[in-house]
Amino acid sequence: MKHIKIKELLQSKEFGKEFIIKGWVRTLRGNKNVSFIAINDGSIINNVQVVVDIPVFGEEYLKNVTTGACVKVRGILVRSQGQGQTVEVQAKEIFVYGSCDPETYPLQKKSHTLEYLRTIAHLRPRTNTFSAVLRIRHNMAFAIHKYFNDKGFFYLHTPIITASDCEGAGEMFRVSTLDINNLPKTQDGQIDFTQDFFGKETNLTVSGQLEGELGAMALSEVYTFGPTFRAENSNTPRHLAEFWMIEPEMAFYDLEDNMNLAQDFVQYLIKYALENCKDDLEFLNKMYDKELISRLGFVVNNDFERLTYTQAVDILIKSGEKFEFPISWGTDLQSEHERYLVEKHFKKPVILIDYPKEIKAFYMKQNPDGKTVRAMDVLFPKIGEIIGGSQREEDLQKLVNRINELKLPSKDIWWYLETRKFGTAPHSGFGLGFERLILFVTGMANIRDVIPFPRTPKNAEF
Ligand code: ATP
Ligand code: MN
């Protein structure tokens, strides 16, 4: 007999029928006559209760059925007498796949801090909180592909290893097979990278955008969804050294089209979560964030506020608020400024556009004012920046001038520049940080708690 997932079993109405379930023991209680074992297999946040008639089996039989043990149960589905559940399983046979020492099992106690759970990331998926987060994460990844596929976008696999250093100079992880204890040198004493695996310096990608643009210049609408890496030493609740990013890139989109897509996309994803992750969201709403579900509903149902960077700076200066980082035109917005705009001033998500060119990347389309570029950042409550994007500069000469002004190594991206030479087109795109989205959807406060195995400075365990 094939076993049934607990999610399916809990919906079954086939009372009196025999089923097999497999999972891990969450809790045990009972007395001399009867034992109640709560079992979870991760398919759903709820456990199924297994009822064991002690006199039938003898006390010895349950000796190895302890919290954390992995078991197979064969039993009859019956209507539940107890509160809070509609069905339960009357055990006929219990087989223990893996016993679990109650003295040393780290998840023995009922509630643990999130900080402690990070130290046991190998076991935390067995908690309600992390299984809920991981199921939501899966659903969001699926919904992302569904959204783009339904719209006719193509999933473009951009490379993880790159040799262009234009975007994130100084923040990249080097990829090399050279022996670091015995580096080959050139005649003038520099490291000889021609002897390295790729014959040149290579790094892990910080973004798939540049290659995404190449795809858009042929397939019109593409997206990439993959891991990205940043060696920035920022120990914040919103930064990881390894995170996942969704980057759509579209030919024939101006900044307005780009903003419309960004809003529609994020609202779709949140609506998808509300419709498909109800149990898990209700759990997180109850345990961590009483406003979570109403906040998600609000974002789905309200347009994002759109204004320029210049207007935003005006609002911040006039606010009279004491910020840790003072604000003036030309400085980059800090998270405290972004959150003031979103949470206190507009009380809804905000899209800021037309940033000073000095604080944005070289490829952004230059505005006629000579000072600003067609950038857009989408700012969210509790998160700050969730999306960064722009219309791209499609004019070869303007792009080259900007690259020269910034003294960027343009020979590394000759292929990027050729798209502007051969059939250039207006185009736009953006990057959504996947973990920032999951932070928002789950209401969790720390980005380390929305990815299975976080990578942060001084931490690469598991
Ligand atoms: P921030 O200012 O928050 O550090 P950024 O401006 O450096 O972000 P972009 O280069 O615009 O980020 O990247 C696009 C998106 O990727 C961001 O809007 C954010 O959602 C996400 N992101 C950027 N850096 C990180 C990181 N270190 N960890 C997790 N997500 C990130
Ligand atoms: Mn950004």
Side-chain angles (χ1 to χ4, degrees), residues 4 31 54 72 96 99 121 128 147 150 162 171 174 177 189 238 243 272 279 287 297 333 338 368 372 425 436 451 455:
I4 183 172
N31 52 43
I54 304 284
K72 172 170 90 174
V96 177
S99 60
N128 282 332
Y147 177 85
D150 289 352
T162 77
E171 300 184 348
R174 182 182 296 285
T177 53
R238 296 178 326 277
F243 65 101
Y272 189 94
D279 296 348
M287 300 302 288
L333 299 186
E338 297 173 342
T372 60
R436 299 237 179 129
I451 187 166
R455 298 289 180 254

Side-chain angles (χ1 to χ4, degrees), residues 274-286:
L274 286 168
E275 284 167 6
N276 295 278
C277 308
K278 220 163 169 288
D279 296 348
D280 291 325
L281 287 176
E282 276 163 9
F283 172 80
L284 295 168
N285 194 87
K286 190 172 81 195

Side-chain angles (χ1 to χ4, degrees), residues 23-29 35-39 50-52 54 57-73 91 93-102 105 108:
W24 292 265
V25 175
R26 281 292 178 82
T27 58
L28 290 150
R29 59 189 180 83
S35 191
F36 301 102
I37 310 168
I39 297 179
V50 171
V51 185
V52 189
I54 304 284
F57 293 90
E59 268 178 53
E60 270 297 284
Y61 194 75
L62 292 183
K63 184 166 73 16
N64 283 328
V65 182
T66 56
T67 300
C70 184
V71 297
K72 172 170 90 174
V73 177
E93 183 193 351
I94 300 182
F95 175 79
V96 177
Y97 284 117
S99 60
C100 182
D101 174 22
Y105 184 49
Q108 191 62 231

Side-chain angles (χ1 to χ4, degrees), residues 416-455:
Y416 182 75
L417 297 173
E418 286 208 343
T419 56
R420 273 61 170 178
K421 203 157 116 191
F422 303 129
T424 192
H427 63 290
S428 300
F430 61 81
L432 166 68
F434 188 51
E435 285 75 19
R436 299 237 179 129
L437 171 78
I438 307 299
L439 270 180
F440 185 74
V441 172
T442 59
M444 300 301 281
N446 194 310
I447 201 162
R448 293 163 181 78
D449 298 331
V450 296
I451 187 166
F453 306 107
R455 298 289 180 254

